[in-house]
Amino acid sequence: MKAIVYEKVSSSKTLVLRDIVKPMPNTHEVLVRIHAASVNALDYRPMRMGVGIPKSRIFGADIVGMVEEVGRDVTTFKPCNMVVGDISGNGCGGFAEYVAADENVLALKPSAISDELAAALPVAAVTALQALLDKGELTAGMRLLIYGAGGGVGTYAVQLASYFGAQVTAVCSTRNTTLVRNLGASEVIDYTREDITTSSRRFDRIIAINGYHRLSEYKHLLVPNGIFVMVEGSKKIRTLAAKPNREDLEFVLDLVASGKIHPVIDRCFPLEQTAQAMSYVSEGHAQGKVVIIVTSK
């Protein structure tokens, strides 16, 4: 099979398209023929830092594809099922034509959702959901500030928070203001024109994605007993490193299938251009998600 493999030669780190051995599923795994994947921070950040490289040297946590073979003890899926999931807990491997993944990290893909849209969901949408509910304890009517609303996690956070009945103030760049407003934000602030951290406004909850400011700069924006959630692993209060969760994934899949929220996809790249896609996302250019088209149906 073909796969994008991480290679380090001398001081150079690169992603290369290689022909490698097709994996075999163990007793509790399914072999998935991948149709599409998407790029997340947990893909490109290990390359920058030199730690957290998958053992297979194949990145890619979000996948959607068709089950081709099932292990002896698999009970949830059968061949020809279309599945979607976050396989980061399995060591990734989504930037390839096939992957063997534990059945417990996958969910059936609703037929109403295209492969490209489904591939944009698992990591970012579940992260947004867990930030809002598990860490943020968000309820209807709360005043919520989302800082970093134009990216993959942010676009889901705005939509989910609006769905749950929060009053959303979203902070993003100039190019994303119209997009974020259309996603349901009550108020949109262009951070190039206004520094929210100097505001006298107060919020019940703050979700900060990728940490552009220090905690002390956000703190005065919270009401007493308000909650601040930092997404992407900064050492601040209520940090969130989201975990794959089938129930959470099925919840957001149902919302997409019913038209209540929708993935925002900036663009798609073919498998052989995965390195360019990773670079594009890591430089902060993407509105929403970037999808990798792996194999045709």
Side-chain angles (χ1 to χ4, degrees):
M1 71 171 190
K2 295 187 182 302
I4 298 294
V5 180
Y6 170 83
E7 296 185 353
K8 185 176 180 181
V9 181
S10 184
S11 60
S12 177
K13 303 172 186 177
T14 185
L15 296 171
V16 182
L17 185 67
R18 297 289 191 212
D19 286 309
I20 64 171
V21 177
K22 183 177 170 181
M24 297 286 291
N26 65 29
T27 58
H28 59 276
E29 290 181 331
V30 298
L31 180 67
V32 180
R33 182 174 186 261
I34 300 173
H35 291 181
S38 72
V39 179
N40 294 285
L42 56 81
D43 297 314
Y44 62 79
R45 283 186 175 166
M47 287 189 62
R48 286 180 177 175
M49 300 167 64
V51 295
I53 307 297
K55 285 186 178 180
S56 66
R57 294 183 292 123
I58 302 171
F59 292 100
D62 287 337
I63 66 161
V64 59
M66 180 177 287
V67 175
E68 189 167 281
E69 184 180 343
V70 300
R72 184 183 65 237
D73 297 335
V74 170
T75 60
T76 312
F77 306 107
K78 59 186 179 181
C80 296
N81 282 160
M82 287 298 298
V83 294
V84 55
D86 169 3
I87 59 172
S88 58
N90 282 186
C92 294
F95 299 152
E97 292 180 322
Y98 290 89
V99 71
D102 191 301
E103 66 171 328
N104 292 319
V105 302
L106 302 173
L108 287 170
K109 182 184 80 69
S111 59
I113 306 176
S114 71
D115 292 349
E116 291 80 5
L117 292 179
L121 276 168
V123 172
V126 170
T127 296
L129 182 68
Q130 292 179 1
L132 293 168
L133 299 189
D134 297 351
K135 293 290 187 178
E137 302 173 13
L138 186 74
T139 59
M142 283 186 172
R143 293 162 296 173
L144 170 69
L145 175 69
I146 300 174
Y147 202 107
V153 175
T155 53
Y156 288 118
V158 171
Q159 294 180 81
L160 287 167
S162 299
Y163 172 77
F164 293 129
Q167 300 175 38
V168 181
T169 296
V171 181
C172 60
S173 65
T174 306
R175 66 191 291 262
N176 290 327
T177 53
T178 300
L179 166 68
V180 171
R181 186 173 291 108
N182 290 338
L183 293 177
S186 305
E187 179 185 16
V188 180
I189 295 174
D190 178 350
Y191 65 72
T192 69
R193 297 172 180 265
E194 179 182 346
D195 182 1
I196 186 64
T197 64
T198 64
S199 172
S200 60
R201 280 173 283 185
R202 298 293 180 267
F203 299 91
D204 301 295
R205 302 290 186 264
I206 298 175
I207 305 293
I209 302 163
N210 295 324
Y212 298 99
H213 295 281
R214 295 186 299 273
L215 172 58
S216 58
E217 295 178 286
Y218 288 113
K219 224 172 179 182
H220 78 280
L221 296 173
L222 280 172
V223 300
N225 301 314
I227 294 175
F228 175 91
V229 180
M230 174 65 73
V231 178
E232 300 293 345
S234 174
K235 292 183 179 179
K236 297 173 183 174
I237 59 173
R238 297 221 178 187
T239 61
L240 175 70
K243 296 180 180 179
N245 182 295
R246 179 191 284 170
E247 185 177 338
D248 287 348
L249 177 57
E250 289 174 340
F251 178 78
V252 294
L253 283 167
D254 286 344
L255 289 180
V256 174
S258 60
K260 293 181 174 65
I261 68 170
H262 65 275
V264 176
I265 296 178
D266 182 293
R267 64 186 64 184
C268 298
F269 289 79
L271 180 63
E272 60 269 23
Q273 293 181 14
T274 298
Q276 294 95 310
M278 295 262 275
S279 177
Y280 178 76
V281 176
S282 69
E283 291 168 3
H285 298 311
Q287 288 183 305
K289 296 287 295 176
V290 166
V291 170
I292 305 297
I293 305 301
V294 180
T295 56
S296 58
K297 301 176 187 177

mmCIF file with all atom_site columns, all heavy atoms in Angstrom, residues 103-121:
data_model
loop_
_atom_site.group_PDB
_atom_site.id
_atom_site.type_symbol
_atom_site.label_atom_id
_atom_site.label_alt_id
_atom_site.label_comp_id
_atom_site.label_asym_id
_atom_site.label_entity_id
_atom_site.label_seq_id
_atom_site.pdbx_PDB_ins_code
_atom_site.Cartn_x
_atom_site.Cartn_y
_atom_site.Cartn_z
_atom_site.occupancy
_atom_site.B_iso_or_equiv
_atom_site.pdbx_formal_charge
_atom_site.auth_seq_id
_atom_site.auth_comp_id
_atom_site.auth_asym_id
_atom_site.auth_atom_id
_atom_site.pdbx_PDB_model_num
ATOM 1   N N   . GLU A 1 103 ? -11.680 -1.596 17.053 1.00 0.00 ? 103 GLU A N   1
ATOM 2   C CA  . GLU A 1 103 ? -13.087 -1.310 16.761 1.00 0.00 ? 103 GLU A CA  1
ATOM 3   C C   . GLU A 1 103 ? -13.695 -0.277 17.708 1.00 0.00 ? 103 GLU A C   1
ATOM 4   O O   . GLU A 1 103 ? -14.638 0.428  17.347 1.00 0.00 ? 103 GLU A O   1
ATOM 5   C CB  . GLU A 1 103 ? -13.913 -2.597 16.813 1.00 0.00 ? 103 GLU A CB  1
ATOM 6   C CG  . GLU A 1 103 ? -14.015 -3.237 18.179 1.00 0.00 ? 103 GLU A CG  1
ATOM 7   C CD  . GLU A 1 103 ? -15.022 -4.396 18.209 1.00 0.00 ? 103 GLU A CD  1
ATOM 8   O OE1 . GLU A 1 103 ? -16.021 -4.344 17.474 1.00 0.00 ? 103 GLU A OE1 1
ATOM 9   O OE2 . GLU A 1 103 ? -14.784 -5.343 18.977 1.00 0.00 ? 103 GLU A OE2 1
ATOM 10  N N   . ASN A 1 104 ? -13.148 -0.154 18.910 1.00 0.00 ? 104 ASN A N   1
ATOM 11  C CA  . ASN A 1 104 ? -13.736 0.733  19.918 1.00 0.00 ? 104 ASN A CA  1
ATOM 12  C C   . ASN A 1 104 ? -13.527 2.216  19.643 1.00 0.00 ? 104 ASN A C   1
ATOM 13  O O   . ASN A 1 104 ? -14.167 3.052  20.284 1.00 0.00 ? 104 ASN A O   1
ATOM 14  C CB  . ASN A 1 104 ? -13.181 0.380  21.300 1.00 0.00 ? 104 ASN A CB  1
ATOM 15  C CG  . ASN A 1 104 ? -13.650 -0.982 21.775 1.00 0.00 ? 104 ASN A CG  1
ATOM 16  O OD1 . ASN A 1 104 ? -14.812 -1.338 21.589 1.00 0.00 ? 104 ASN A OD1 1
ATOM 17  N ND2 . ASN A 1 104 ? -12.755 -1.746 22.367 1.00 0.00 ? 104 ASN A ND2 1
ATOM 18  N N   . VAL A 1 105 ? -12.612 2.556  18.730 1.00 0.00 ? 105 VAL A N   1
ATOM 19  C CA  . VAL A 1 105 ? -12.383 3.976  18.435 1.00 0.00 ? 105 VAL A CA  1
ATOM 20  C C   . VAL A 1 105 ? -13.129 4.426  17.178 1.00 0.00 ? 105 VAL A C   1
ATOM 21  O O   . VAL A 1 105 ? -13.010 5.567  16.751 1.00 0.00 ? 105 VAL A O   1
ATOM 22  C CB  . VAL A 1 105 ? -10.878 4.292  18.290 1.00 0.00 ? 105 VAL A CB  1
ATOM 23  C CG1 . VAL A 1 105 ? -10.134 3.918  19.557 1.00 0.00 ? 105 VAL A CG1 1
ATOM 24  C CG2 . VAL A 1 105 ? -10.269 3.600  17.079 1.00 0.00 ? 105 VAL A CG2 1
ATOM 25  N N   . LEU A 1 106 ? -13.911 3.521  16.593 1.00 0.00 ? 106 LEU A N   1
ATOM 26  C CA  . LEU A 1 106 ? -14.605 3.813  15.347 1.00 0.00 ? 106 LEU A CA  1
ATOM 27  C C   . LEU A 1 106 ? -16.115 3.879  15.559 1.00 0.00 ? 106 LEU A C   1
ATOM 28  O O   . LEU A 1 106 ? -16.649 3.300  16.502 1.00 0.00 ? 106 LEU A O   1
ATOM 29  C CB  . LEU A 1 106 ? -14.289 2.742  14.301 1.00 0.00 ? 106 LEU A CB  1
ATOM 30  C CG  . LEU A 1 106 ? -12.813 2.538  13.948 1.00 0.00 ? 106 LEU A CG  1
ATOM 31  C CD1 . LEU A 1 106 ? -12.662 1.325  13.034 1.00 0.00 ? 106 LEU A CD1 1
ATOM 32  C CD2 . LEU A 1 106 ? -12.239 3.785  13.275 1.00 0.00 ? 106 LEU A CD2 1
ATOM 33  N N   . ALA A 1 107 ? -16.782 4.577  14.654 1.00 0.00 ? 107 ALA A N   1
ATOM 34  C CA  . ALA A 1 107 ? -18.240 4.652  14.654 1.00 0.00 ? 107 ALA A CA  1
ATOM 35  C C   . ALA A 1 107 ? -18.720 4.484  13.221 1.00 0.00 ? 107 ALA A C   1
ATOM 36  O O   . ALA A 1 107 ? -17.990 4.771  12.267 1.00 0.00 ? 107 ALA A O   1
ATOM 37  C CB  . ALA A 1 107 ? -18.709 5.997  15.208 1.00 0.00 ? 107 ALA A CB  1
ATOM 38  N N   . LEU A 1 108 ? -19.938 4.018  13.058 1.00 0.00 ? 108 LEU A N   1
ATOM 39  C CA  . LEU A 1 108 ? -20.517 3.921  11.725 1.00 0.00 ? 108 LEU A CA  1
ATOM 40  C C   . LEU A 1 108 ? -20.730 5.318  11.159 1.00 0.00 ? 108 LEU A C   1
ATOM 41  O O   . LEU A 1 108 ? -21.180 6.228  11.864 1.00 0.00 ? 108 LEU A O   1
ATOM 42  C CB  . LEU A 1 108 ? -21.849 3.179  11.773 1.00 0.00 ? 108 LEU A CB  1
ATOM 43  C CG  . LEU A 1 108 ? -21.781 1.663  11.994 1.00 0.00 ? 108 LEU A CG  1
ATOM 44  C CD1 . LEU A 1 108 ? -23.187 1.121  12.273 1.00 0.00 ? 108 LEU A CD1 1
ATOM 45  C CD2 . LEU A 1 108 ? -21.166 0.963  10.785 1.00 0.00 ? 108 LEU A CD2 1
ATOM 46  N N   . LYS A 1 109 ? -20.409 5.495  9.884  1.00 0.00 ? 109 LYS A N   1
ATOM 47  C CA  . LYS A 1 109 ? -20.610 6.797  9.243  1.00 0.00 ? 109 LYS A CA  1
ATOM 48  C C   . LYS A 1 109 ? -22.031 6.871  8.685  1.00 0.00 ? 109 LYS A C   1
ATOM 49  O O   . LYS A 1 109 ? -22.425 6.025  7.878  1.00 0.00 ? 109 LYS A O   1
ATOM 50  C CB  . LYS A 1 109 ? -19.614 6.995  8.101  1.00 0.00 ? 109 LYS A CB  1
ATOM 51  C CG  . LYS A 1 109 ? -19.736 8.363  7.423  1.00 0.00 ? 109 LYS A CG  1
ATOM 52  C CD  . LYS A 1 109 ? -18.805 8.504  6.245  1.00 0.00 ? 109 LYS A CD  1
ATOM 53  C CE  . LYS A 1 109 ? -19.344 7.839  5.008  1.00 0.00 ? 109 LYS A CE  1
ATOM 54  N NZ  . LYS A 1 109 ? -20.541 8.518  4.433  1.00 0.00 ? 109 LYS A NZ  1
ATOM 55  N N   . PRO A 1 110 ? -22.790 7.881  9.107  1.00 0.00 ? 110 PRO A N   1
ATOM 56  C CA  . PRO A 1 110 ? -24.123 8.053  8.521  1.00 0.00 ? 110 PRO A CA  1
ATOM 57  C C   . PRO A 1 110 ? -24.028 8.280  7.016  1.00 0.00 ? 110 PRO A C   1
ATOM 58  O O   . PRO A 1 110 ? -23.141 9.002  6.537  1.00 0.00 ? 110 PRO A O   1
ATOM 59  C CB  . PRO A 1 110 ? -24.663 9.303  9.236  1.00 0.00 ? 110 PRO A CB  1
ATOM 60  C CG  . PRO A 1 110 ? -23.891 9.372  10.516 1.00 0.00 ? 110 PRO A CG  1
ATOM 61  C CD  . PRO A 1 110 ? -22.528 8.864  10.170 1.00 0.00 ? 110 PRO A CD  1
ATOM 62  N N   . SER A 1 111 ? -24.936 7.684  6.262  1.00 0.00 ? 111 SER A N   1
ATOM 63  C CA  . SER A 1 111 ? -24.890 7.801  4.804  1.00 0.00 ? 111 SER A CA  1
ATOM 64  C C   . SER A 1 111 ? -25.126 9.227  4.327  1.00 0.00 ? 111 SER A C   1
ATOM 65  O O   . SER A 1 111 ? -24.730 9.593  3.220  1.00 0.00 ? 111 SER A O   1
ATOM 66  C CB  . SER A 1 111 ? -25.921 6.864  4.168  1.00 0.00 ? 111 SER A CB  1
ATOM 67  O OG  . SER A 1 111 ? -27.231 7.177  4.631  1.00 0.00 ? 111 SER A OG  1
ATOM 68  N N   . ALA A 1 112 ? -25.746 10.049 5.181  1.00 0.00 ? 112 ALA A N   1
ATOM 69  C CA  . ALA A 1 112 ? -26.039 11.441 4.803  1.00 0.00 ? 112 ALA A CA  1
ATOM 70  C C   . ALA A 1 112 ? -24.798 12.329 4.815  1.00 0.00 ? 112 ALA A C   1
ATOM 71  O O   . ALA A 1 112 ? -24.841 13.464 4.336  1.00 0.00 ? 112 ALA A O   1
ATOM 72  C CB  . ALA A 1 112 ? -27.091 12.021 5.741  1.00 0.00 ? 112 ALA A CB  1
ATOM 73  N N   . ILE A 1 113 ? -23.695 11.835 5.363  1.00 0.00 ? 113 ILE A N   1
ATOM 74  C CA  . ILE A 1 113 ? -22.475 12.644 5.480  1.00 0.00 ? 113 ILE A CA  1
ATOM 75  C C   . ILE A 1 113 ? -21.437 12.140 4.479  1.00 0.00 ? 113 ILE A C   1
ATOM 76  O O   . ILE A 1 113 ? -21.126 10.946 4.444  1.00 0.00 ? 113 ILE A O   1
ATOM 77  C CB  . ILE A 1 113 ? -21.887 12.564 6.906  1.00 0.00 ? 113 ILE A CB  1
ATOM 78  C CG1 . ILE A 1 113 ? -22.943 12.949 7.946  1.00 0.00 ? 113 ILE A CG1 1
ATOM 79  C CG2 . ILE A 1 113 ? -20.672 13.476 7.035  1.00 0.00 ? 113 ILE A CG2 1
ATOM 80  C CD1 . ILE A 1 113 ? -22.459 12.809 9.374  1.00 0.00 ? 113 ILE A CD1 1
ATOM 81  N N   . SER A 1 114 ? -20.881 13.040 3.682  1.00 0.00 ? 114 SER A N   1
ATOM 82  C CA  . SER A 1 114 ? -19.856 12.657 2.716  1.00 0.00 ? 114 SER A CA  1
ATOM 83  C C   . SER A 1 114 ? -18.573 12.249 3.432  1.00 0.00 ? 114 SER A C   1
ATOM 84  O O   . SER A 1 114 ? -18.360 12.579 4.603  1.00 0.00 ? 114 SER A O   1
ATOM 85  C CB  . SER A 1 114 ? -19.560 13.815 1.760  1.00 0.00 ? 114 SER A CB  1
ATOM 86  O OG  . SER A 1 114 ? -18.858 14.854 2.439  1.00 0.00 ? 114 SER A OG  1
ATOM 87  N N   . ASP A 1 115 ? -17.716 11.536 2.714  1.00 0.00 ? 115 ASP A N   1
ATOM 88  C CA  . ASP A 1 115 ? -16.439 11.118 3.295  1.00 0.00 ? 115 ASP A CA  1
ATOM 89  C C   . ASP A 1 115 ? -15.610 12.319 3.732  1.00 0.00 ? 115 ASP A C   1
ATOM 90  O O   . ASP A 1 115 ? -14.993 12.313 4.801  1.00 0.00 ? 115 ASP A O   1
ATOM 91  C CB  . ASP A 1 115 ? -15.633 10.291 2.280  1.00 0.00 ? 115 ASP A CB  1
ATOM 92  C CG  . ASP A 1 115 ? -16.275 8.946  1.991  1.00 0.00 ? 115 ASP A CG  1
ATOM 93  O OD1 . ASP A 1 115 ? -17.217 8.562  2.716  1.00 0.00 ? 115 ASP A OD1 1
ATOM 94  O OD2 . ASP A 1 115 ? -15.831 8.272  1.038  1.00 0.00 ? 115 ASP A OD2 1
ATOM 95  N N   . GLU A 1 116 ? -15.582 13.360 2.901  1.00 0.00 ? 116 GLU A N   1
ATOM 96  C CA  . GLU A 1 116 ? -14.766 14.523 3.213  1.00 0.00 ? 116 GLU A CA  1
ATOM 97  C C   . GLU A 1 116 ? -15.250 15.216 4.483  1.00 0.00 ? 116 GLU A C   1
ATOM 98  O O   . GLU A 1 116 ? -14.447 15.601 5.338  1.00 0.00 ? 116 GLU A O   1
ATOM 99  C CB  . GLU A 1 116 ? -14.779 15.511 2.036  1.00 0.00 ? 116 GLU A CB  1
ATOM 100 C CG  . GLU A 1 116 ? -14.054 15.020 0.790  1.00 0.00 ? 116 GLU A CG  1
ATOM 101 C CD  . GLU A 1 116 ? -14.892 14.061 -0.048 1.00 0.00 ? 116 GLU A CD  1
ATOM 102 O OE1 . GLU A 1 116 ? -16.088 13.849 0.285  1.00 0.00 ? 116 GLU A OE1 1
ATOM 103 O OE2 . GLU A 1 116 ? -14.348 13.520 -1.028 1.00 0.00 ? 116 GLU A OE2 1
ATOM 104 N N   . LEU A 1 117 ? -16.567 15.369 4.611  1.00 0.00 ? 117 LEU A N   1
ATOM 105 C CA  . LEU A 1 117 ? -17.111 16.017 5.810  1.00 0.00 ? 117 LEU A CA  1
ATOM 106 C C   . LEU A 1 117 ? -16.863 15.154 7.046  1.00 0.00 ? 117 LEU A C   1
ATOM 107 O O   . LEU A 1 117 ? -16.507 15.663 8.114  1.00 0.00 ? 117 LEU A O   1
ATOM 108 C CB  . LEU A 1 117 ? -18.601 16.281 5.643  1.00 0.00 ? 117 LEU A CB  1
ATOM 109 C CG  . LEU A 1 117 ? -19.003 17.340 4.606  1.00 0.00 ? 117 LEU A CG  1
ATOM 110 C CD1 . LEU A 1 117 ? -20.521 17.465 4.546  1.00 0.00 ? 117 LEU A CD1 1
ATOM 111 C CD2 . LEU A 1 117 ? -18.380 18.694 4.919  1.00 0.00 ? 117 LEU A CD2 1
ATOM 112 N N   . ALA A 1 118 ? -17.045 13.854 6.914  1.00 0.00 ? 118 ALA A N   1
ATOM 113 C CA  . ALA A 1 118 ? -16.838 12.953 8.053  1.00 0.00 ? 118 ALA A CA  1
ATOM 114 C C   . ALA A 1 118 ? -15.388 12.970 8.516  1.00 0.00 ? 118 ALA A C   1
ATOM 115 O O   . ALA A 1 118 ? -15.105 12.936 9.720  1.00 0.00 ? 118 ALA A O   1
ATOM 116 C CB  . ALA A 1 118 ? -17.262 11.534 7.683  1.00 0.00 ? 118 ALA A CB  1
ATOM 117 N N   . ALA A 1 119 ? -14.462 13.040 7.583  1.00 0.00 ? 119 ALA A N   1
ATOM 118 C CA  . ALA A 1 119 ? -13.039 13.040 7.938  1.00 0.00 ? 119 ALA A CA  1
ATOM 119 C C   . ALA A 1 119 ? -12.651 14.282 8.722  1.00 0.00 ? 119 ALA A C   1
ATOM 120 O O   . ALA A 1 119 ? -11.670 14.268 9.472  1.00 0.00 ? 119 ALA A O   1
ATOM 121 C CB  . ALA A 1 119 ? -12.186 12.934 6.674  1.00 0.00 ? 119 ALA A CB  1
ATOM 122 N N   . ALA A 1 120 ? -13.411 15.352 8.565  1.00 0.00 ? 120 ALA A N   1
ATOM 123 C CA  . ALA A 1 120 ? -13.104 16.613 9.248  1.00 0.00 ? 120 ALA A CA  1
ATOM 124 C C   . ALA A 1 120 ? -13.640 16.663 10.664 1.00 0.00 ? 120 ALA A C   1
ATOM 125 O O   . ALA A 1 120 ? -13.425 17.651 11.370 1.00 0.00 ? 120 ALA A O   1
ATOM 126 C CB  . ALA A 1 120 ? -13.682 17.785 8.447  1.00 0.00 ? 120 ALA A CB  1
ATOM 127 N N   . LEU A 1 121 ? -14.309 15.599 11.116 1.00 0.00 ? 121 LEU A N   1
ATOM 128 C CA  . LEU A 1 121 ? -15.011 15.654 12.392 1.00 0.00 ? 121 LEU A CA  1
ATOM 129 C C   . LEU A 1 121 ? -14.270 15.161 13.630 1.00 0.00 ? 121 LEU A C   1
ATOM 130 O O   . LEU A 1 121 ? -14.252 15.863 14.649 1.00 0.00 ? 121 LEU A O   1
ATOM 131 C CB  . LEU A 1 121 ? -16.326 14.859 12.283 1.00 0.00 ? 121 LEU A CB  1
ATOM 132 C CG  . LEU A 1 121 ? -17.519 15.598 11.701 1.00 0.00 ? 121 LEU A CG  1
ATOM 133 C CD1 . LEU A 1 121 ? -18.636 14.600 11.376 1.00 0.00 ? 121 LEU A CD1 1
ATOM 134 C CD2 . LEU A 1 121 ? -18.023 16.625 12.698 1.00 0.00 ? 121 LEU A CD2 1
#
